[in-house]
């Protein structure tokens, strides 16, 4: 729900007076669902090596994940290959401070992060290498339930809250890397990026009075899908055998297709001698859904030895001024019953567009590996990364939580098969996150994931 809705309607002490005396002019009070949705850019560990090294891989990537990290790395692959990597999120703990002691949000899901193919000697040219990949770049799925019962206190109250949210981005890409056989490589990639959002919520609060009941009951859903066509270019440079540098530029993309669905239904009741009721209904099967992708710039530097590698990457995401995430020309039907036997009043209310706000952020990733054996059959990987929230102050939909991740894992290989297994731990918190006017709260997020992958080299 928008904050303006709850300032007017969800404060128990004022709802009766507001309903008994309807405003002189229509107000935009149609709310979206209340959910906890994180749009952070790096929620999924990607790639066989990169996933285990915090995503610090722009300067050293040489496998099927190069379409995402740096397409210049495609030409560094030693042979054609097929690879797949996944992250099984065993546990997601989401704890709003005001709801501690109640049920909290959890999620368990299988997330295919990357399926990729590398083809050497593209078009018969040994200097060209092609890459094709299907990558899940963002994934957030969670359910939150709550129950606050203070009926034994004065004033008594009962609050129930249930919300489901899903936010995902999937990319299908084709890339090409060029290696002239010296100390530098370049590459480019073209990708279709599909962003999907589905948010559902119910909310109810009851305040028994001596002579009646103050109650609010709201339900709603907001969903949308949008496809962008994006392009990226990258380069890698090795000034010495021990130093490697890599960089990437990725465009915000061109919007190709979009769809949406938005509905809300609410009932407000004020008890007492002058009891009143207000209800509204809103439905739009095709609102204009928009989600802005950022311009991205990555720069990484690595130190490479025979048995040890270490890389540090900086990742910049440009911001965007506030824009309409959902926009609709439809109106809501409001029915006001002032009580006392007066006839109800039916009118149409303009929809209040729901805004998103993306601020610029800068993330850092540090990662590498150590060869446990001289022939590099067994590698120990480690990584650390930041995943700061892009949610700006004017955002009315998404939740703001800064995340941090650490990874640890192993890779083993034979002549043709490479397999890896690791653990990823993500944590973060936020202050003063508004779930509803009655639930101003801090949020704590904890995620534990198992990362595994398998690749076959021809």
């Amino acid at each position: 729900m928008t904050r303006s809705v709850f300032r007017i309607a969800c404060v128990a002490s004022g709802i009766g007076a507001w309903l008994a005396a309807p405003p002189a002019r229509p107000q935009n009070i149609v709310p979206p669902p209340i959910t906890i949705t994180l749009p952070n850019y790096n929620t999924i560990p990607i790639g066989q090596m990169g996933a285990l090294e915090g995503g610090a891989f722009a300067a050293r990537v040489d496998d099927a994940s190069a379409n995402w990290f740096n397409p210049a790395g495609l030409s560094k692959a030693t042979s054609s290959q097929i690879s797949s990597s996944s992250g099984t999120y065993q546990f997601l703990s989401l704890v709003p401070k005001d709801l501690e002691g109640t049920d909290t949000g959890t999620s368990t899901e299988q997330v295919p992060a990357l399926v990729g193919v590398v083809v050497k000697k593209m078009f018969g040219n040994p200097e060209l290498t092609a890459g094709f990949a299907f990558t899940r770049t963002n994934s957030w799925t969670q359910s939150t339930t709550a129950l606050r019962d203070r009926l034994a206190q004065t004033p008594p109250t009962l609050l129930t809250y249930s919300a489901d949210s899903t936010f995902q981005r999937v990319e299908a890409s084709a890339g090409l890397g060029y290696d002239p056989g010296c100390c530098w490589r370049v590459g480019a990639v073209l990708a279709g990026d599909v962003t999907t959002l589905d948010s559902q919520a119910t909310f109810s609060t009851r305040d028994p009075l001596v002579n009646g009941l103050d109650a609010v009951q709201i339900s709603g859903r907001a969903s949308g899908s949008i496809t962008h066509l994006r392009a990226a270019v990258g380069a890698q440079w090795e000034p010495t055998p021990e130093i490697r540098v890599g960089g990437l530029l990725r465009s915000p993309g061109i919007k190709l297709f979009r769809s949406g669905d938005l509905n809300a239904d609410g009932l407000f009741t004020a008890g007492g001698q002058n009891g009143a009721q207000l209800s509204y209904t809103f439905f739009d099967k095709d609102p204009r859904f928009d989600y802005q992708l950022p311009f991205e710039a990555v720069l990484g530097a690595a130190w490479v030895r025979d048995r040890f590698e270490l890389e540090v990457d900086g990742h910049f995401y440009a911001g965007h001024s506030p824009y309409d995430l959902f926009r609709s020309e439809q109106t809501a039907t409001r029915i006001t019953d002032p009580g006392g036997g007066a006839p109800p009043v039916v009118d149409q209310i303009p929809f209040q567009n729901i805004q998103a706000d993306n601020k610029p952020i800068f993330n850092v990733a540090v990662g590498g590996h150590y060869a446990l054996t001289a022939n590099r059959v067994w590698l120990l990987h480690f990584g650390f990364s930041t995943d700061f929230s892009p949610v700006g102050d004017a955002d009315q939909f998404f939740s703001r939580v800064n995340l941090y991740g650490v990874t640890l894992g192993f890779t083993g290989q034979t002549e043709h098969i490479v397999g890896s297994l690791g653990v990823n731990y993500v944590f973060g918190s936020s202050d003063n996150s508004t779930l509803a006017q009655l639930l101003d709260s801090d949020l704590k997020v904890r995620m534990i994931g198992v990362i595994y992958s398998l690749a076959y080299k021809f």
Side-chain angles (χ1 to χ4, degrees):
M1 316 297 175
T2 58
R3 295 179 177 89
S4 59
V5 177
F6 285 93
R7 292 193 187 101
I8 297 173
C10 290
V11 180
S13 61
I15 189 173
W18 183 71
L19 290 176
R25 61 184 178 86
Q27 298 189 27
N28 298 337
I29 64 169
V30 180
I34 311 171
T35 56
I36 303 172
T37 306
L38 305 188
N40 299 43
Y41 297 129
N42 298 328
T43 57
I44 294 294
I46 297 174
Q48 186 170 44
M49 298 288 188
L52 298 177
E53 300 185 6
F57 211 38
R60 297 173 297 134
V61 61
D62 59 357
D63 58 22
S65 65
N67 274 23
W68 176 252
F69 289 110
N70 188 343
L74 288 169
S75 58
K76 192 181 176 185
T78 57
S79 63
S80 298
Q81 60 183 269
I82 299 176
S83 67
S84 174
S85 63
S86 295
T88 302
Y89 282 84
Q90 295 180 321
F91 181 70
L92 183 155
S93 174
L94 181 64
V95 184
K97 180 180 178 181
D98 287 354
L99 299 179
E100 286 185 303
T102 68
D103 292 336
T104 57
T106 60
S107 174
T108 301
E109 60 174 331
Q110 169 92 0
V111 183
L114 173 71
V115 177
V117 177
V118 174
V119 181
K120 297 291 291 183
K121 298 182 180 179
M122 194 65 178
F123 310 120
N125 188 339
E127 297 178 345
L128 295 178
T129 304
F132 306 91
F134 177 88
T135 310
R136 189 179 301 272
T137 60
N138 291 75
S139 181
W140 171 263
T141 300
Q142 71 87 35
S143 298
T144 300
T145 60
L147 174 63
R148 174 187 289 171
D149 185 351
R150 295 177 178 172
L151 298 179
Q153 301 180 11
T154 302
T157 184
L158 174 64
L159 170 69
T160 61
Y161 171 79
S162 175
D164 299 325
S165 67
T166 300
F167 179 80
Q168 295 185 345
R169 283 179 49 206
V170 177
E171 178 182 284
S173 61
L176 190 66
Y178 172 70
D179 184 357
C182 56
C183 62
W184 57 270
R185 295 171 293 276
V186 294
V189 65
L190 190 64
D193 188 300
V194 180
T195 303
T196 57
L197 168 67
D198 191 8
S199 176
Q200 303 182 55
T202 61
F203 178 88
S204 64
T205 179
R206 302 169 183 85
D207 193 1
L209 305 176
V210 175
N211 58 350
L213 174 70
D214 279 353
V216 178
Q217 180 177 337
I218 299 172
S219 63
R221 181 188 182 195
S223 63
S225 176
I226 186 168
T227 301
H228 291 81
L229 181 65
R230 308 185 77 185
V233 294
Q236 290 180 333
W237 178 46
E238 297 182 18
T240 71
E242 296 180 346
I243 302 298
R244 298 179 186 176
V245 179
L248 170 77
L249 298 177
R250 181 176 286 116
S251 73
I254 301 172
K255 300 178 181 66
L256 299 180
F257 315 104
R258 71 180 82 206
S259 62
D261 187 9
L262 189 64
N263 63 80
D265 188 76
L267 177 64
F268 306 88
T269 301
Q273 184 176 0
N274 297 318
Q277 292 186 357
L278 181 146
S279 72
Y280 68 80
T281 302
F282 174 82
F283 181 82
D284 190 345
K285 185 61 179 176
D286 190 24
R288 181 177 176 82
F289 172 72
D290 192 11
Y291 183 77
Q292 300 287 345
L293 296 178
F295 166 80
E296 302 177 36
V298 183
L299 181 62
W303 182 51
V304 178
R305 301 287 291 178
D306 292 340
R307 299 181 64 168
F308 180 77
E309 296 184 8
L310 179 67
E311 180 170 340
V312 179
D313 286 5
H315 199 146
F316 170 75
Y317 299 86
H320 193 284
S321 58
Y323 64 94
D324 291 333
L325 183 68
F326 286 96
R327 185 169 75 239
S328 176
E329 303 300 327
Q330 301 292 331
T331 58
T333 300
R334 179 175 63 181
I335 304 175
T336 306
D337 180 1
V345 178
V346 181
D347 56 4
Q348 299 296 313
I349 309 169
F351 176 75
Q352 178 177 331
N353 295 333
I354 305 167
Q355 284 198 328
D357 182 13
N358 298 342
K359 64 180 181 180
I361 59 173
F362 186 81
N363 283 326
V364 176
V366 180
H369 63 254
Y370 175 76
L372 300 176
T373 56
N375 59 2
R376 299 181 62 86
V377 170
W378 292 100
L379 303 178
L380 171 65
H381 301 267
F382 55 90
F384 169 81
S385 63
T386 65
D387 189 11
F388 297 130
S389 175
V391 177
D393 294 336
D395 200 289
Q396 298 174 321
F397 195 92
F398 294 106
S399 305
R400 182 190 303 172
V401 180
N402 292 327
L403 300 176
Y404 305 85
V406 291
T407 56
L408 186 67
F410 294 90
T411 294
Q413 60 181 315
T414 64
E415 181 180 358
H416 295 289
I417 297 177
V418 181
S420 63
L421 180 66
V423 178
N424 173 238
Y425 177 64
V426 177
F427 61 96
S429 62
S430 71
D431 298 329
N432 300 322
S433 296
T434 302
L435 306 184
Q437 191 69 14
L438 302 180
L439 283 176
D440 288 338
S441 176
D442 300 341
L443 296 177
K444 294 188 294 185
V445 177
R446 301 290 185 268
M447 289 187 283
I448 299 177
V450 176
I451 306 170
Y452 56 93
S453 66
L454 187 67
Y456 183 83
K457 297 182 178 182
F458 296 97

